[in-house]
Each structure stands twice: as C-alpha cells, then as structure tokens.
Amino acid sequence: MITKPKGTYDIYNEDAKYYQYINNVFESVASLYNYEYIRTPIFEDTSLFHRTVGETSDIVSKETYDFKDRGDRSITLRPEGTAGVVRSYIENKMYGEINQPKKLYYSGTMYRYERPQAGRYRELSQFGVEVLGSDSPLIDAEVISLAYRTLETILGDNVTVMINTLGDSESRNNYREALVKYLEPHLNELCSDCQNRFKTNPLRILDCKVDKENPILKNAPKITDYLNEASQKRFDQVLDYLRLLDVDYEVNPSIVRGLDYYNHVVFEFSLNEGVNATSIVGAGGRYNNLVESLGGPSTPAVGFACGIDRLMLILKEKKEIDINPNIDVYIMAVNEEERTKAILLAQDMRWSDIKCDYDTLDKGLKAQFKQADRLNARHLIILNSEDLAKGLITVKDNLTHEEQKIDEAEILDYIISNL
Ligand code: ATP
Ligand code: MG
C-alpha cells in the first residue's frame, strides 16, 4: 500500500467539516470587508522566495521544497502566500488599476520542510489577506481587525493580538546597533542558530524558539525605546484605532516575525488558553519595501496569514460546531418504478434547495430506514407503486413523527414549508 508523504494528512469526514467551516467564515468576513479573491500558483520560481521571504529566514534557509522541473528550471513549492501575491500584483500591473488600494484575500496550501508534530505539518493551509497601495494606519487596523473578528467568530473570545512595531528604517537601524552592542559579549551563551543570526539578521534572534526564555534575550534593549517620533506616532495611531474597534491587543516588544520583509507594525494572534508552541494561530505585518525590491513601483503594503490546521485542532477540541451529518429528505424506493420516481423527485428537490438523498446500493426498505437515521433525515419520503398510481406520496416528518399522504404536485411545497 502506498501511504501519504510524511508531514501531510488527508482532510475528510469530520476534518473536512472543520476545514470548510473555517474557510467559509473567513471568506464571508473578507467579502464583508470588501476584499477580493486571488489565486496564485502553488509553485513559483525559486528566486522569488529568496528575494521576498529572505535568505536568512528559517523558511528559506531550511524549510523550502525546491526541485528542478523537467525543463531544468528551479522551482519552489510556496512556503507562504505573500510572495506570490506580490509577484502577481507587479506582473499584472495591479498598481495601475483605478480601484486602490488593492485589497486581496487568499486561502490554500503551503509547503515547508519541517519536523512534523501536532499543529506543524509539511503541507499546511493558510488563509490571509494582502492590502497593496495604502500606507494608512487605518488599513493596518482594518487588516488586524478583519483577522481578529474572523478568529473570534471561529474560536470565541480566546484570542489576543500581540503587537509590536519595527519602526521606519532609521528607528530600526538605531535599534539594531544597540541590540548588536548588547548581545556581542553574550554571544556564546546563545544557540548556534542565533550566533549565525547575529551576523546575518540580529533582530531575528528575538524570535528564537530555543532561546525564548533566556534572560539574555528577556533583558535585551527594546525596539520601543528606539523609535523616532514619526514611527512612535504611527504606532500609537494603529493602537488607537484598535481600541476604537474593540480589538484585544497587547504590545509585545519581542515580536519581530521570522520574515525579512517587515517594517512598522508586526503582529501575531495568540490563544489566551492552552498556550504552547502551536498557540500562535496567525501573524502578519506591514512590508512597505517588498514591492519595490521585487521590481515594482514603490508600494506600501500590509497583510496577515492564519494557520487553518491549527484552528482545526482547536475547534475539534472544543467541538462547538455541529459536525453531524444531516439532510432534509431521504427518499425510499425499492422497485424500478419507485426508483425512477425517486431520482426525478430528488433532482427537483435539489434544485429547490432541499438537501436530499436516496439509496444507490440496492438495499431493502429496512436498511434504507437505517441509512435515513444515520443521515439524520428530517423527512422520509416512502414511495410505493400503489400510492404513485393514485398520484400520492407518503411523507413522514421525523421531528413530529406525523405521517401522511400528500398529492404529488404538492410535495415540494410541503417539504419547503416544513423545514
Ligand atoms: P511558527 O513560529 O509556529 O513556525 P511561523 O512564524 O513560521 O510559525 P508564519 O510563517 O507566520 O508562521 O505563518 C502563519 C501561521 O501559519 C502561523 O501562525 C501558524 O498558525 C501557521 N503555520 C506555520 N507553519 C505551520 C506548519 N508547519 N504547520 C501548520 N501550521 C503552520
Ligand atoms: Mg515556522
């Protein structure tokens, strides 16, 4: 037997309901906020991710799925959604469209070569948004609150936005200098990854999972003390809007995010209960330099991505959505004449928005009753040739247990008014 690749899983049965529920909530919230759907390829030119996510990020340095295709091109399975959206924005000249800013949402699978464990897979699903073409703190607040309201709908009152700012380049440079100076004498007390990060991207050390509780990092200088006036003001505005919109947030100066392209506001969505390595269910930030660095016109942008797999695990634990099967009508038929009637009736009902089903396994009546029970059918339609000859249909309402014969012509109306 061929089995699934390591770090992947199949979404079916109960999981499929959770997956669809989460996606449906997100898609309807995104649409209410006037975001448009975008779908980009699952694989891209390898260089795209090296230039966007960054050579020194965990993702590019050790997690990408890279391969040569049959035409000897270097291809990478997308590890995240932003790079493809930005590539598409530039390639399709969306910056030239009349409607600005461009507010886009996506949902789909991403690929990272990680050590698989609960809440961490090699094929993962994310939903997210990107807004390109606005530098306004209003948009920062909109993107954060869109994600927050989506997560609140899915998980209830169990999410906090951990938020920080990386400031503009002046603030960030001043901070980097101070951080390097502080860390230098302690270097050999940090993990080997951090010693490398020190050379390539020292801010990233604050994001280290190994050294997280290390007092050296806990006592490190904070970006919040190095912001220039403009950066501080901008950050305060975002926080003001978040309070106005009643979004629960906590300023956390150690949030720097693992990707190279962020500036100004960065944030993570963290569970209030059950905190562990996978309690971060989403993250994002502003990335004002990315479009230009990929060859597009200078365009400010902000976005977030949430991990659907982790949300599924949490929902499953809480069991708050109804995942039981249920249909409106189960149609029972045994002989050929009844079966022909059943498929016609089912077609009419389905196209009248009535969810229904019937036996296709040649089962007897008793087995069909059982199947109707398993599907939690609200109504049973019990076809028989004698009734049919008189133009009648027997219906049983499983809620009221009432059984009656109804004129064939009235059956759709009867079901519709009794759902
Ligand atoms: P982590 O710190 O857990 O590795 P990350 O910083 O790499 O997360 P992002 O790149 O910001 O994660 O992705 C956004 C969200 O996607 C995460 O908050 C998480 O919920 C989810 N996610 C990331 N990696 C995985 C994975 N391997 N499996 C399942 N979900 C993931
Ligand atoms: Mg990661």
Side-chain angles (χ1 to χ4, degrees):
M1 188 185 58
I2 299 171
T3 56
K4 58 188 182 296
K6 186 172 176 189
T8 68
Y9 66 106
D10 303 309
I11 298 182
Y12 65 103
N13 280 1
E14 193 183 282
D15 281 352
K17 304 234 176 194
Y18 289 113
Y19 181 84
Q20 286 188 305
Y21 168 76
I22 291 166
N23 250 317
N24 290 344
V25 170
F26 170 65
E27 294 201 346
S28 45
V29 175
S31 158
L32 289 171
Y33 282 69
N34 195 31
Y35 284 60
E36 287 175 86
Y37 179 67
I38 182 169
R39 202 195 83 159
T40 62
I42 280 176
F43 60 88
E44 296 270 1
D45 205 287
T46 297
S47 60
L48 177 67
F49 301 109
H50 287 258
R51 284 173 55 188
T52 57
V53 181
E55 305 280 355
T56 66
S57 65
D58 277 1
I59 292 182
V60 162
S61 59
K62 47 191 185 198
E63 295 174 3
T64 52
Y65 275 90
D66 304 309
F67 60 94
K68 283 272 171 74
D69 74 5
R70 289 171 200 267
D72 209 32
R73 299 172 192 89
S74 293
I75 297 291
T76 295
L77 300 185
R78 65 180 182 196
E80 53 97 51
T82 304
V85 170
V86 171
R87 195 245 338 115
S88 171
Y89 175 84
I90 299 169
E91 190 168 346
N92 297 302
K93 300 194 173 54
M94 293 182 209
Y95 46 81
E97 293 176 13
I98 310 254
N99 275 336
Q100 298 292 338
K102 200 75 190 157
K103 306 208 289 183
L104 301 168
Y105 77 87
Y106 63 84
S107 177
T109 52
M110 312 292 160
Y111 300 84
R112 298 183 186 184
Y113 195 80
E114 300 217 56
R115 201 166 61 79
Q117 53 199 284
R120 194 174 289 286
Y121 309 99
R122 290 183 174 176
E123 179 180 70
L124 56 132
S125 299
Q126 292 183 336
F127 64 73
V129 311
E130 313 293 346
V131 180
L132 298 117
S134 169
D135 192 29
S136 170
L138 266 179
I139 278 290
D140 294 343
E142 178 175 284
V143 163
I144 294 169
S145 60
L146 189 167
Y148 181 80
R149 294 288 165 231
T150 302
L151 293 170
E152 189 183 42
T153 306
I154 297 168
L155 301 178
D157 189 17
N158 186 23
V159 180
T160 302
V161 184
M162 308 299 265
I163 190 168
N164 189 25
T165 179
L166 302 174
D168 59 10
S169 51
E170 183 189 69
S171 311
R172 207 170 151 167
N173 288 341
N174 288 342
Y175 175 59
R176 185 183 297 116
E177 236 169 70
L179 187 66
V180 164
K181 214 165 165 187
Y182 165 86
L183 288 175
E184 198 151 29
H186 303 290
L187 257 193
N188 49 16
E189 296 156 68
L190 297 177
C191 77
S192 61
D193 272 350
C194 281
Q195 298 187 11
N196 285 329
R197 290 178 184 125
F198 184 79
K199 288 174 234 144
T200 54
N201 193 342
L203 258 63
R204 179 75 49 64
I205 292 176
L206 301 176
D207 198 34
C208 178
K209 291 187 184 78
V210 180
D211 283 328
K212 216 160 113 192
E213 298 301 319
N214 190 330
I216 294 170
L217 294 196
K218 291 199 151 171
N219 298 324
K222 308 254 177 284
I223 177 83
T224 23
D225 296 325
Y226 292 83
L227 297 174
N228 59 24
E229 207 184 318
S231 297
Q232 181 67 56
K233 190 165 159 228
R234 203 205 140 86
F235 188 45
D236 289 341
Q237 269 177 320
V238 176
L239 300 183
D240 284 345
Y241 286 132
L242 290 181
R243 276 194 302 277
L244 187 71
L245 293 170
D246 200 22
V247 171
D248 267 330
Y249 71 84
E250 201 178 292
V251 175
N252 179 339
S254 71
I255 290 185
V256 293
R257 302 297 309 132
L259 312 182
D260 275 348
Y261 50 58
Y262 289 113
N263 57 10
H264 288 296
V265 71
V266 285
F267 46 88
E268 292 181 351
F269 300 96
S270 173
L271 294 183
N272 303 338
E273 313 159 358
V275 181
N276 58 46
T278 53
S279 64
I280 308 292
V281 291
R286 183 163 274 286
Y287 51 94
N288 285 352
N289 302 319
L290 183 59
V291 178
E292 195 173 9
S293 79
L294 276 180
S298 171
T299 307
V302 60
F304 75 78
C306 287
I308 298 178
D309 310 273
R310 290 186 192 174
L311 295 174
M312 286 167 68
L313 287 177
I314 301 160
L315 261 189
K316 264 166 94 165
E317 243 166 65
K318 303 203 327 172
K319 293 252 188 259
E320 264 173 22
I321 66 164
D322 181 13
I323 49 144
N324 293 319
N326 58 68
I327 61 173
D328 299 325
V329 177
Y330 193 82
I331 308 172
M332 312 226 219
V334 181
N335 65 32
E336 197 48 42
E337 184 196 2
E338 293 159 9
R339 283 184 189 280
T340 307
K341 188 74 205 167
I343 63 170
L344 283 176
L345 205 50
Q347 170 158 276
D348 284 349
M349 290 206 226
R350 288 165 174 169
W351 288 95
S352 305
D353 278 340
I354 298 168
K355 181 174 174 181
C356 71
D357 214 343
Y358 49 83
D359 168 62
T360 53
L361 294 171
D362 231 352
K363 294 268 162 98
L365 260 195
K366 203 169 152 197
Q368 293 189 28
F369 270 109
K370 275 203 186 133
Q371 178 64 2
D373 274 350
R374 277 193 288 267
L375 294 173
N376 284 316
R378 166 67 201 270
H379 296 279
L380 300 179
I381 286 185
I382 308 151
L383 297 176
N384 72 66
S385 304
E386 254 170 68
D387 283 352
L388 287 179
K390 292 184 230 152
L392 293 175
I393 285 180
T394 302
V395 195
K396 183 176 175 197
D397 185 330
N398 265 339
L399 204 65
T400 60
H401 302 293
E402 226 176 287
E403 187 173 316
Q404 49 185 311
K405 287 191 200 298
I406 292 189
D407 199 286
E408 219 183 283
E410 317 272 297
I411 187 72
L412 282 187
D413 287 342
Y414 169 83
I415 300 282
I416 289 166
S417 49
N418 285 285
L419 279 181

